[in-house]
Amino acid sequence: MEANRGQNGIQQLLAAEQDAQHIVNAARNAKMARLKQAKQEAEKEIAEYRAQVEYEFKKKVAESSGYSGANVKRLETETDAKINHLKNEAARISHDVVQMLLKNVTTVRN
Amino acid sequence: MNDADVSKQIQQMVRFIRQEAEEKANEISVSAEEEFNIEKLQLVEAEKKKIRQEYEKKEKQVEIRKKIEYSMQLNASRIKVLQAQDDVVNAMKESASKDLLNVSHDHHVYKRLLKDLIVQSLVRLKEPGVLLRCCKEDLHLVESVLDSAKEEYASKVNVHPPEIIIDDVHLPPGPSHHHGFFHHHAEAHGPFCSGGVVIASRDGKIVFENTLDARLDVAFNKKLPEIRKWLFGQVAA
């Protein structure tokens, strides 16, 4: 009778140990799974951040290219104006310059 | 011990084992959470830093590219203006060059000019014997003033009147090829010989171009700074 009861007791203890082992293992597995999640969630956050930064960047680029397009136009207009002014001035003095040159050529100082 | 006590003890031990396991499981769970957060944070921050650096670099490159483009535009504009300045000034020279053709039409005035040019050339060369070249059309006029030119030179410089041989090769009416006799190459003078003379020492080593076109070149180059100043208010470099 006593031996039977003793056996039962030991079995209970063994079963308890087994359960304990299961519990701890489960926790360990859960930990590993959780750590893997760290990488996944990190990647998700990173992708969101990158998208945000990219959006800001594109916006900045679009703004500034509009600005420089206007600059180029302004430059072109200024240049054309300069050249026009030049041509007008030249027309104004051309005759006098030609006369001066001719006089220089046909006058001999001996 | 009786059975009840043993049973009770066993139960206690079972509970204890269970409790320990659950406590341990809890610890593991807590540390899992902590490590999860740390790991995630580290990964995210490291990558964020890289991304920021990457985009800073991109922005800089865009800046640089824009600066270069603008600089190129600026240069192109400047060149355009400089080219226009050049064109305008050369057009005046062209215009003068065309007008030169009319100079020889007034024979009276032109004859005087030819004489003066010959004298001037003789003074420059200071040679006792020279070779003279002129346009075919000017031959008569040149011959008619040759003697008075010699005299004027002789009395001016106090030497004997020089010997002047008129070359039977004439100044060409078209784009010129100067062969062996003239050792240096003259610029192609206009489409016509406008007038004037070329005088060389007998051995052909010293040449003085006193054609109207050559004189125009000289006058133009000399007056260029002045002309540019009138036009653009600055002196050419």
Side-chain angles (χ1 to χ4, degrees):
Chain A
M1 274 304 121
E2 253 190 53
N4 230 10
R5 282 200 296 273
Q7 194 117 6
N8 200 12
I10 291 178
Q11 275 178 349
Q12 279 189 308
L13 288 176
L14 285 177
E17 281 289 345
Q18 262 196 339
D19 285 344
Q21 198 66 15
H22 284 321
I23 291 172
V24 168
N25 282 345
R28 288 208 177 111
N29 288 340
K31 179 172 179 177
M32 273 176 32
R34 191 66 177 137
L35 288 181
K36 274 197 191 139
Q37 273 190 330
K39 187 156 183 231
Q40 285 168 359
E41 294 208 2
E43 278 175 10
K44 201 170 104 193
E45 266 184 45
I46 290 165
E48 275 173 19
Y49 183 71
R50 179 180 274 276
Q52 177 68 21
V53 171
E54 172 76 14
Y55 172 76
E56 299 287 326
F57 174 71
K58 284 220 165 94
K59 206 166 100 177
K60 219 175 179 185
V61 165
E63 265 174 30
S64 72
S65 82
Y67 177 70
S68 55
N71 260 356
V72 165
K73 246 214 148 69
R74 181 177 56 84
L75 200 59
E76 275 177 17
T77 311
E78 276 178 17
T79 304
D80 287 341
K82 272 188 196 159
I83 293 183
N84 257 347
H85 176 74
L86 185 64
K87 286 187 179 162
N88 287 341
E89 285 297 293
R92 189 172 62 85
I93 72 171
S94 181
H95 178 79
D96 292 337
V97 168
V98 168
Q99 292 311 308
M100 173 198 64
L101 287 173
L102 288 178
K103 183 149 183 264
N104 218 287
V105 168
T106 55
T107 308
V108 184
R109 264 162 273 149
N110 265 334
Chain B
M1 271 194 289
N2 59 14
D3 285 346
D5 286 336
V6 166
S7 182
K8 211 164 148 201
Q9 213 170 32
I10 301 262
Q11 292 311 317
Q12 267 185 337
M13 285 168 77
V14 163
R15 271 200 301 276
F16 182 68
I17 289 172
R18 192 179 197 88
Q19 252 178 0
E20 262 202 342
E22 283 181 358
E23 271 173 25
K24 179 126 189 146
N26 213 30
E27 271 173 32
I28 292 176
S29 186
V30 166
S31 99
E33 215 43 37
E34 275 177 17
E35 279 182 35
F36 166 82
N37 285 328
I38 291 174
E39 173 83 355
K40 189 172 103 167
L41 195 68
Q42 280 180 344
L43 286 175
V44 167
E45 286 309 306
E47 272 310 297
K48 274 191 179 178
K49 187 169 171 197
K50 273 200 218 165
I51 290 176
R52 276 192 295 267
Q53 285 173 344
E54 182 186 325
Y55 276 82
E56 262 172 38
K57 200 165 155 195
K58 274 192 187 178
E59 277 185 24
K60 277 205 181 109
Q61 284 176 343
V62 167
E63 271 301 304
I64 289 176
R65 214 184 350 225
K66 271 185 8 193
K67 283 200 178 124
I68 291 178
E69 266 175 37
Y70 186 70
S71 183
M72 277 170 49
Q73 295 283 0
L74 206 60
N75 276 345
S77 287
R78 284 191 187 138
I79 289 179
K80 214 170 160 196
V81 169
L82 287 178
Q83 184 63 59
Q85 287 179 350
D86 217 42
D87 291 344
V88 140
V89 159
N90 281 332
M92 291 185 195
K93 186 181 176 193
E94 274 303 305
S95 187
S97 180
K98 287 208 174 84
D99 283 356
L100 278 186
L101 297 173
N102 299 331
V103 169
S104 54
H105 290 176
D106 183 340
H107 282 219
H108 181 69
V109 170
Y110 185 51
K111 190 169 157 173
R112 176 85 196 280
L113 179 60
L114 274 176
K115 183 177 70 78
D116 288 342
L117 290 180
I118 294 172
V119 172
Q120 187 184 51
S121 312
L122 292 173
V123 169
R124 283 292 187 94
L125 281 182
K126 289 201 172 58
E127 291 272 318
V130 299
L131 203 54
L132 181 151
R133 265 193 201 174
C134 62
C135 302
K136 204 164 174 187
E137 296 77 34
D138 295 345
L139 210 48
H140 283 317
L141 283 178
V142 166
E143 281 167 349
S144 73
V145 299
L146 211 51
D147 287 331
S148 70
K150 287 186 201 178
E151 289 297 326
E152 195 175 315
Y153 165 69
S155 67
K156 199 183 182 76
V157 177
N158 238 329
V159 291
H160 287 306
E163 190 197 14
I164 304 184
I165 299 176
I166 300 185
D167 198 0
D168 46 8
V169 178
H170 301 294
L171 292 177
S176 51
H177 302 289
H178 289 262
H179 299 301
F181 175 84
F182 292 152
H183 289 253
H184 78 285
H185 290 291
E187 281 178 357
H189 300 305
F192 297 96
C193 167
S194 312
V197 295
V198 179
I199 291 198
S201 59
R202 259 197 295 242
D203 55 11
K205 287 214 173 111
I206 312 173
V207 179
F208 182 47
E209 283 189 36
N210 225 355
T211 58
L212 298 188
D213 302 291
R215 291 174 66 80
L216 179 60
D217 284 342
V218 168
F220 179 72
N221 288 334
K222 191 164 141 200
K223 292 290 183 182
L224 194 52
E226 205 175 316
I227 298 174
R228 288 176 66 86
K229 197 171 179 183
W230 289 344
L231 268 181
F232 342 119
Q234 66 190 82
V235 180

